[in-house]
Amino acid sequence: MERKRVFEPGDYVKSFSNHFGIVLSRHELEEARTRFKEGRKPGRYFAPGCCQDPDNVLQIPVLFEDGTFDIMRSMNLRKMDPPGDKKVKIQKMMER
């Protein structure tokens, strides 16, 4: 049986604080940790004593347009295509 996911890697999302980003896979998240810094945006997943385990159901890894990444709570995101210039900027960050 396959688990149902709310967000799939490659989905474009918008946080409730109006930041656009793209959902990352586990492999892309490991790469993003080496290249980008953690943004600590409002709505990120944080629980003292609990590790981050992105499962794309409750904890969603997202690379944002400003060059930061975060593991966000799914309730603080919604699927939405960004405007053209922001979409191109995010895609270029992913390619490098």
Side-chain angles (χ1 to χ4, degrees), residues 3-96:
R3 292 181 74 180
K4 186 173 181 180
R5 294 178 171 181
V6 178
F7 296 97
E8 293 293 329
D11 288 346
Y12 288 97
V13 294
K14 181 179 176 183
S15 70
F16 70 89
S17 56
N18 292 327
H19 295 282
F20 287 99
I22 189 169
V23 177
L24 302 173
S25 66
R26 284 186 182 263
H27 173 71
E28 292 169 334
L29 175 62
E30 293 305 318
E31 188 177 308
R33 285 185 176 166
T34 61
R35 296 177 40 209
F36 304 105
K37 69 177 200 169
E38 191 171 357
R40 302 187 185 271
K41 292 189 176 14
R44 70 185 173 96
Y45 181 82
F46 176 76
C50 183
C51 62
Q52 294 178 339
D53 181 29
D55 56 5
N56 288 43
V57 176
L58 296 176
Q59 300 176 28
I60 315 298
V62 179
L63 176 64
F64 289 101
E65 62 185 310
D66 62 356
T68 61
F69 75 94
D70 272 311
I71 309 262
M72 302 292 288
R73 293 182 184 171
S74 61
M75 66 183 184
N76 295 321
L77 297 173
R78 62 181 173 189
K79 290 182 185 180
M80 182 176 288
D81 277 335
D85 59 332
K86 292 183 181 192
K87 192 172 192 175
V88 170
K89 183 178 179 182
I90 294 169
Q91 288 173 347
K92 284 184 180 179
M93 287 189 322
M94 293 290 296
E95 291 173 1
R96 294 183 191 167

